[in-house]
C-alpha cells in the first residue's frame, strides 16, 4: 500500500482539466502531507487564479519554471514520495527533477474518482 507521506504538486493546467478542481484539490489534501500548485504562468496570474479558486495550498511555484519550483519544493518538504500531476504538455518535466514522479491528470482523476471536464477559464487580464 502506498504511503500517504507525499508531497503533491498540481500544474495549474491539470486543475483546469477537472470539472470540480477545488474538490479534487481538497480531496488530495486529505491523503497528502503537502499539496500545492506549480505553473509557468506569471506570478500575478497564478496567485489570482489560486485566490479566486480558494485553494488552501502549502506552496506556490513563484516566478520560476516548473522544474525550478519542483526542485525548490523538494528541498523544503521532506516526504517519502513526490508526485507532480500534470498534462501532456508537462509530461517530461518531472523526469528532469530528481525524486519526482509524473502522474497525468487523466490517470490521477481515474484513480481518485475525480471528474474530467472543463472549468470556466478566468481572464488573464489584470486585475
Amino acid at each position: 500500500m502506498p504511503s500517504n507521506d507525499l508531497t503533491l504538486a498540481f500544474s495549474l493546467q491539470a486543475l483546469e482539466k477537472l470539472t470540480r478542481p477545488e474538490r479534487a484539490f481538497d480531496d488530495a489534501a486529505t491523503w497528502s502531507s503537502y499539496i500545492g500548485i506549480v505553473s509557468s504562468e506569471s506570478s500575478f496570474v497564478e496567485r489570482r487564479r489560486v485566490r479566486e479558486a480558494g485553494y488552501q495550498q502549502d506552496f506556490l511555484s513563484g516566478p520560476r519554471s516548473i522544474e525550478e519550483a519542483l526542485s525548490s519544493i523538494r528541498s523544503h518538504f521532506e516526504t517519502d514520495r513526490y508526485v507532480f500531476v500534470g498534462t501532456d504538455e508537462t509530461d517530461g518535466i518531472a523526469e528532469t527533477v530528481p525524486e519526482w514522479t509524473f502522474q497525468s491528470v487523466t490517470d490521477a482523476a481515474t484513480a481518485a474518482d475525480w471528474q474530467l471536464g472543463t472549468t470556466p477559464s478566468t481572464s488573464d487580464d489584470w486585475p
Side-chain angles (χ1 to χ4, degrees):
M1 181 168 184
S3 167
N4 287 351
D5 190 20
L6 165 74
T7 298
L8 183 66
F10 279 99
S11 75
L12 195 55
Q13 295 79 9
L15 285 171
E16 291 172 350
K17 299 245 183 231
L18 299 169
T19 304
R20 307 281 312 259
E22 67 286 345
R23 282 200 176 170
F25 197 88
D26 290 345
D27 175 50
T30 66
W31 42 263
S32 301
S33 298
Y34 304 101
I35 187 169
I37 297 170
V38 293
S39 172
S40 57
E41 298 275 356
S42 63
S43 291
F44 78 87
V45 170
E46 178 183 341
R47 291 183 195 290
R48 182 173 46 91
R49 286 185 179 169
V50 167
R51 182 181 63 245
E52 288 172 354
Y55 299 126
Q56 298 300 312
Q57 72 285 339
D58 297 307
F59 56 82
L60 285 168
S61 58
R64 57 183 136 200
S65 70
I66 292 174
E67 294 93 334
E68 291 171 319
L70 293 177
S71 291
S72 176
I73 292 163
R74 169 62 187 91
S75 68
H76 287 91
F77 297 93
E78 289 290 325
T79 55
D80 291 340
R81 297 173 46 223
Y82 300 85
V83 177
F84 172 57
V85 177
T87 62
D88 291 341
E89 293 81 23
T90 57
D91 186 356
I93 290 175
E95 295 172 7
T96 66
V97 184
E99 298 188 38
W100 281 89
T101 302
F102 176 79
Q103 181 74 44
S104 76
V105 67
T106 303
D107 291 344
T110 300
D113 200 26
W114 303 330
Q115 297 297 313
L116 290 170
T118 55
T119 55
S121 178
T122 56
S123 171
D124 287 343
D125 295 334
W126 181 254

